[in-house]
Amino acid sequence: MWIAILRLALLIPGARSLKDRRQAVKSLKERIRNRFDAACNEVGDLETWNRAYLGIALVGNEKRTLEDLAAEISRYAQNDAQVQVTGFEKDFLNYGDSI
C-alpha cells in the first residue's frame, strides 16, 4: 500500500478578511475532495487572511498512480481563479505489504 502526502501553499490575493480567505479555501478543499476522492484539510497558518496551507492524503496500490494523481491535483489547484499556488511538497510512503 502506498500513501501520498501533499502540502499546497496558497496565496489568496482577493482576500480582504478571514471570511474571504475561508470561503476561497473551503471551496478549493471541497472540490479537491469531490473530484479526486482525497482527504483534504487546512493545515497551519489559520489566522493569516491572505495565506493558507492545504494538507492532502491519498492511498493507492501503486506509487506511479499516486504520482500522477498528485501532479493532477497540483495542476487543478494552479488553475483555480481564487488562489495562487506558491508551493507544492509531496512525499510517498510504502506501508509494507506483509500482514
Side-chain angles (χ1 to χ4, degrees):
M1 172 173 75
W2 282 91
I3 302 166
I5 302 166
L6 317 173
R7 184 172 181 243
L8 291 173
L10 306 173
L11 176 65
I12 303 112
R16 300 292 177 247
S17 66
L18 283 175
K19 183 179 178 182
D20 291 343
R21 174 193 177 281
R22 281 191 297 270
Q23 183 180 22
V25 171
K26 182 179 178 183
S27 172
L28 180 58
K29 280 185 348 185
E30 289 176 0
R31 286 183 284 124
I32 288 173
R33 285 178 184 154
N34 293 333
R35 183 177 177 112
F36 300 101
D37 196 24
C40 181
N41 206 0
E42 191 171 356
V43 292
D45 215 1
L46 300 175
E47 297 300 321
T48 305
W49 56 267
N50 65 345
R51 292 206 164 276
Y53 296 91
L54 291 183
I56 303 164
L58 305 163
V59 177
N61 289 324
E62 297 178 4
K63 182 179 180 183
R64 182 68 188 153
T65 303
L66 293 180
E67 288 172 337
D68 293 345
L69 196 53
E72 193 174 340
I73 289 171
S74 175
R75 282 191 301 274
Y76 184 78
Q78 288 172 0
N79 289 325
D80 189 294
Q82 293 181 312
V83 301
Q84 292 176 358
V85 177
T86 59
F88 178 68
E89 299 174 57
K90 60 186 174 183
D91 198 10
F92 300 92
L93 305 168
N94 185 354
Y95 191 75
D97 292 326
S98 61
I99 295 181

